[in-house]
Amino acid sequence: MTGSLLQDYTRMPKISVRGKEMPESPIRKLAPLAAAAEARGVHVFHLNIGQPDLPTPKIALDAIRNIDRTILEYSPSQGYLSYRRKLVGYYDKFNIKLSPEDIIITSGGSEAVLFSFLACLNPGDEIIVPEPAYANYMAFAISAGAVIRTIATTIDEGFALPKVEKFEELINERTRAILICNPNNPTGYLYTRREMNQIRDMVRKYDLYLFSDEVYREFIYTGSPYISACHLEGIEQNVVLIDSVSKRYSECGIRIGALITKNKEVRKAVMKFCQARLSPPLVGQIAAEASLDAPEEYLRDVYDEYVERRKCLIDGLNRIPGVYSPIPMGAFYTVARLPVDDAERFCQWCLSDFSYEGETVMMAPAAGFYTTPGAGVDEVRLAYVLKKEDLTRALFVLKKALEAYPSTKPQ
C-alpha cells in the first residue's frame, strides 16, 4: 500500500490541451540563446522585438514621480473617466468620433484582443486573419477556444490583401470575424482605402465582427491616408478597435491599452471580464493620461527618427546579396527574405555559433508569424528600434553571418 501511494505521488499531472496547443513566441523563443551569447561576452543586436529605445515622454515620467496618494487603489474596471475623456480628444484628431462610454481601458492591447475574442466568439467560431500576423493572435484565439483561419499574403506582392474571392473561400457557418492589424505587425503593410472598403463590404454582407488592431497609427511613412475601421460607414456596430500606448510613447511596461466599440452589447460583455480582473493598472493610467499632453514635437521627433531608421534598414537589407525586403509603409517592422534554407536554424546559429568581432544579431524567424506549414521558412521579421549607427553595424554583422553560414543558398 505504501509503495502504491508513493508511486501515485510521483506522477506528473498533465497540462491542458490549450497549454499544449499554445504556440511559442517567435519573438522571444530564442531569448535563452541570446542570453547565453551575452554571457559569453558577445554583443547582441536585438532586432527581434518591438521594444522602442526612444525615451518615454518626460511629462509621463514626471507624473509617476509626482504621484501624491496615500493609497494605490483599484481604478474603475473600465478605467478612469478622466483618461477616457482625454482619449476622446486624441481620437478626434484622427476623425474617430467617440464618447468616453465607447472606450474601455485594458491591461495592454493584448488584453483588449483577448477580451474581444471572449466577448464576441463562441468556442469553435472562426476568425479570418491575413498572414503573416502577430503571433499572439493565435494564442488569444486558443485561450478563447476560437479558430484562426489564415488568408495568405506574400512578400513578392508586398503583403497586399488578396481579392474578395479568396476571403469568401474561407467563409462558412462558423465564420464570425475578420481580424486585421493596420499598419501591420509584422510586415509594416498599410491597408489601402480599396482594401478597407473590401473588408467593410464583407463584414456587412456576412454580418461579421471586424477586430482592428491600430496601435501603430502614428507611424505611417507614405502619402497614403490612414483608414481606421472606425471610418468605415455602415458597420459601426461590428467594429472593435484595439489600441495601446506601448509603442506610441515607448511605454510598453505600463501595460495600458484600450478596447473601443460603439456596440453596447459587446461593451457590456467585455465589462464582465474587466470586472473579473478588477482593474487596469493604476500607475499606468496616470502615465498614459499625462502622455496625452506631451508636446507635439515629441511625436514629430519620434516619427522623424523612425523614417530615417526605416531607410537605413531597408536600404541596407536590400544591398546584401540574396536578401529582399519590401518597403514597409507603417509601424517599425519589416519581413525580409534571406538566402537560407531555414531562417529559424540560421537565427539560432547566429546566437549559438557565430560572432563577428564579438557581435551578432538576433532576429525573429518569420515562420512563427504564419500558420500555413512551410510558409515564411526563409524569412525573418526585423524591428528597426535601434539607433541608426547600431542598425548599420547590425546589417554589416548580418552580411558577415550570411557569408559564413554553411547552408546559405547559392546566388
Side-chain angles (χ1 to χ4, degrees):
M1 183 69 176
T2 303
S4 176
L5 285 173
L6 286 173
Q7 187 177 18
D8 288 344
Y9 280 124
T10 60
R11 290 177 182 170
M12 289 291 290
K14 295 180 180 179
I15 65 168
S16 68
V17 171
R18 63 168 58 90
K20 291 179 179 178
E21 292 179 348
M22 191 70 69
E24 287 186 276
S25 168
I27 303 164
R28 297 176 183 267
K29 68 186 296 184
L30 302 183
L33 293 178
E38 288 167 343
R40 297 192 304 271
V42 177
H43 177 74
V44 178
F45 291 104
H46 288 269
L47 303 176
N48 61 302
I49 191 166
Q51 169 59 64
D53 66 340
L54 300 176
T56 299
K58 182 178 182 297
I59 196 169
L61 298 174
D62 287 345
I64 294 173
R65 294 187 188 102
N66 297 328
I67 288 175
D68 185 18
R69 293 170 180 258
T70 56
I71 300 174
L72 297 175
E73 76 279 5
Y74 291 127
S75 78
S77 295
Q78 67 270 45
Y80 282 117
L81 179 58
S82 61
Y83 179 39
R84 291 184 286 122
R85 281 174 172 163
K86 286 182 74 172
L87 280 174
V88 169
Y90 163 78
Y91 289 112
D92 188 63
K93 296 176 182 178
F94 295 92
N95 198 33
I96 298 174
K97 308 300 182 182
L98 302 171
S99 70
E101 290 70 33
D102 297 328
I103 304 170
I104 295 174
I105 305 305
T106 57
S107 300
S110 294
E111 186 179 75
V113 177
L114 177 60
F115 283 0
S116 298
F117 289 0
L118 291 171
C120 299
L121 307 173
N122 291 315
D125 282 348
E126 296 182 356
I127 316 163
I128 298 175
V129 184
E131 70 171 351
Y134 179 52
N136 281 341
Y137 295 151
M138 175 63 75
F140 302 140
I142 290 171
S143 298
V147 178
I148 296 283
R149 297 288 301 278
T150 54
I151 184 164
T153 67
T154 68
I155 192 170
D156 292 316
E157 296 181 350
F159 300 107
L161 281 184
K163 294 181 179 179
V164 172
E165 292 77 16
K166 291 294 183 181
F167 277 89
E168 292 187 325
E169 288 174 7
L170 297 177
I171 294 175
N172 58 52
E173 69 278 1
R174 294 182 300 277
T175 307
R176 195 72 182 274
I178 294 173
L179 168 63
I180 60 172
C181 181
N182 186 37
N184 187 268
N185 175 11
T187 67
Y189 186 75
L190 178 69
Y191 292 114
T192 65
R193 185 180 297 276
R194 179 190 63 78
E195 289 170 325
M196 292 298 287
N197 286 343
Q198 169 184 323
I199 291 171
R200 176 203 62 199
D201 293 345
M202 283 188 292
V203 166
R204 188 160 49 193
K205 179 178 179 180
Y206 296 100
D207 193 23
L208 306 175
Y209 285 110
L210 174 56
F211 303 128
S212 188
D213 182 345
E214 300 181 11
V215 306
Y216 298 100
R217 71 173 61 80
E218 267 80 13
F219 309 120
I220 295 173
Y221 311 116
T222 71
S224 301
Y226 157 63
I227 309 297
S228 170
C230 290
H231 295 153
L232 303 177
E233 296 181 358
I235 60 168
E236 290 82 1
Q237 296 298 308
N238 305 65
V239 170
V240 180
L241 185 70
I242 310 300
D243 206 357
S244 169
V245 301
S246 291
K247 311 307 169 72
R248 184 180 310 143
Y249 301 120
S250 292
E251 291 175 343
C252 298
I254 68 172
R255 308 312 304 137
I256 295 296
L259 184 156
I260 298 166
T261 182
K262 292 187 175 296
N263 188 315
K264 292 181 180 179
E265 291 303 309
V266 170
R267 294 202 307 269
K268 183 177 179 181
V270 167
M271 275 301 298
K272 296 175 184 177
F273 296 103
C274 290
Q275 290 164 348
R277 63 87 162 104
L278 303 180
S279 75
L282 180 149
V283 174
Q285 289 179 83
I286 291 172
E289 183 172 341
S291 297
L292 291 170
D293 293 323
E296 286 295 323
E297 56 263 30
Y298 171 83
L299 285 174
R300 186 167 59 248
D301 290 348
V302 169
Y303 175 87
D304 289 344
E305 177 66 19
Y306 281 127
V307 169
E308 293 185 22
R309 291 180 180 188
R310 179 183 75 137
K311 178 174 174 55
C312 175
L313 180 69
I314 303 306
D315 287 354
L317 284 171
N318 287 318
R319 281 196 294 265
I320 299 174
V323 176
Y324 170 69
S325 171
I327 300 175
M329 293 176 281
F332 40 66
Y333 309 100
T334 194
V335 171
R337 180 190 293 140
L338 303 182
V340 297
D341 294 323
D342 188 322
E344 181 165 341
R345 190 180 302 124
F346 172 69
C347 290
Q348 293 172 347
W349 176 86
C350 284
L351 296 170
S352 62
D353 296 276
F354 171 81
S355 68
Y356 180 79
E357 296 181 348
E359 297 173 324
T360 193
V361 291
M362 185 178 185
M363 301 166 288
F369 297 90
Y370 293 84
T371 61
T372 301
V377 69
D378 59 351
E379 298 170 3
V380 292
R381 188 198 74 165
L382 304 102
Y384 40 101
V385 293
L386 303 179
K387 59 185 180 181
K388 294 188 293 295
E389 295 81 0
D390 287 343
L391 284 175
T392 299
R393 181 63 181 177
L395 288 163
F396 181 75
V397 173
L398 173 59
K399 179 175 181 290
K400 292 296 183 181
L402 288 166
E403 289 170 355
Y405 188 56
S407 298
T408 301
K409 293 178 182 177
Q411 300 303 307

